[in-house]
Amino acid sequence: MQDALETTNANSKNLLNKLIIIIVVKLGKKFNSSSIIYNFKTMKNLKTIYIVRHAKSDQNFFEKDFERPLNEQGYKDAQMMAKRLLEKNVKVDAFICSPAKRARSTAKIFAAAFGKIETQILFLDSLYHPPFEEFYKVIQALPDELNNIAIFSHNPGISYFVNSLAGNVKLDHMPTCGIFAIETNILFWKDFSRSNNSFLFFDSPQPI
């Protein structure tokens, strides 16, 4: 029993590094993957995805879009929505995010609510204004030990993505700091594009 607990703790500590390694490998970049070992005891045949659009940003910022910060309301909304997600008693194994400043700031607030720090967030360039197909590509490259993930990105791609996930559950657009949650009946993330998904909930700072 003690050995099993020690193994679980060690896997938890190394999970972010494994996440980076496996994504790099599966996205086609060179890396020595001989040390990657899956822990099938931590894998489940139901996985959960929380899709989050960044919070409100400063529309009076006229420099590079990538550097656009959150505005005051955006910080308030991110703190409120992170608290509301935490109050649902959900677990998040990994926070995966666009590196743009407004998305990064949103993810940091959510991660902090779950007891994580910025260095435990995985930032992927491909999530900065991605087409909806890129979300599938990123998710299908995830290590299977992750069962609950949160992804932070941008419109319009994030709206197209959520509207592809749960049958008749559609949004006109994904509002800032909105959260769209699904559960998917897969053991391996590589099977995500052909999975059966169940809509769990949608939440946002303002009614839509």
Side-chain angles (χ1 to χ4, degrees):
M1 181 67 177
Q2 183 63 34
D3 289 343
L5 289 173
E6 290 176 357
T7 299
T8 301
N9 289 337
N11 286 338
S12 178
K13 291 177 182 178
N14 292 325
L15 192 53
L16 182 63
N17 287 336
K18 289 180 67 178
L19 175 59
I20 294 170
I21 291 169
I22 293 172
I23 286 179
V24 167
V25 170
K26 291 188 178 180
L27 293 185
K29 298 180 181 179
K30 293 181 179 179
F31 200 93
N32 181 2
S33 59
S34 60
S35 63
I36 297 174
I37 301 173
Y38 286 96
N39 181 1
F40 288 93
K41 291 182 180 180
T42 68
M43 294 161 57
K44 298 179 180 179
N45 61 357
L46 286 176
K47 297 184 184 294
T48 307
I49 306 174
Y50 305 99
I51 304 106
V52 187
R53 186 184 171 196
H54 65 78
K56 285 184 179 293
S57 60
D58 184 357
Q59 297 304 302
N60 293 317
F61 183 85
F62 300 110
E63 299 180 33
K64 291 182 178 179
D65 176 76
F66 189 84
E67 298 297 333
R68 187 183 305 279
L70 298 182
N71 62 18
E72 183 178 354
Q73 187 61 50
Y75 279 105
K76 291 179 180 179
D77 287 348
Q79 291 164 358
M80 176 181 67
M81 294 305 296
K83 181 180 178 183
R84 276 160 53 169
L85 183 60
L86 186 65
E87 288 173 347
K88 293 181 182 293
N89 294 316
V90 303
K91 182 179 179 182
V92 180
D93 300 320
F95 295 82
I96 306 165
C97 185
S98 158
K101 188 171 184 177
R102 57 194 182 276
R104 179 186 290 263
S105 297
T106 304
K108 283 172 60 178
I109 291 169
F110 274 75
F114 283 81
K116 307 293 184 182
I117 59 176
E118 184 175 7
T119 56
Q120 294 174 291
I121 303 171
L122 178 64
F123 297 100
L124 295 177
D125 291 340
S126 61
L127 289 177
Y128 177 57
H129 286 305
F132 84 93
E133 297 90 349
E134 188 63 29
F135 291 92
Y136 284 93
K137 187 176 179 181
V138 167
I139 290 169
Q140 288 175 210
L142 292 172
D144 298 313
E145 291 158 302
L146 298 176
N147 296 308
N148 311 281
I149 63 165
I151 295 183
F152 299 78
S153 190
H154 309 261
N155 256 348
I158 200 168
S159 290
Y160 290 120
F161 176 56
V162 300
N163 283 336
S164 74
L165 293 175
N168 293 328
V169 181
K170 306 289 185 184
L171 301 177
D172 289 337
H173 75 285
M174 185 73 160
T176 51
C177 218
I179 306 171
F180 191 99
I182 64 163
E183 188 173 65
T184 184
N185 66 334
I186 53 174
L187 181 64
F188 302 103
W189 285 113
K190 66 181 178 60
D191 298 325
F192 176 62
S193 65
R194 53 182 181 271
S195 63
N196 292 318
N197 304 322
S198 299
F199 173 73
L200 294 180
F201 65 85
F202 169 74
D203 198 5
S204 69
Q206 300 293 332
I208 62 169

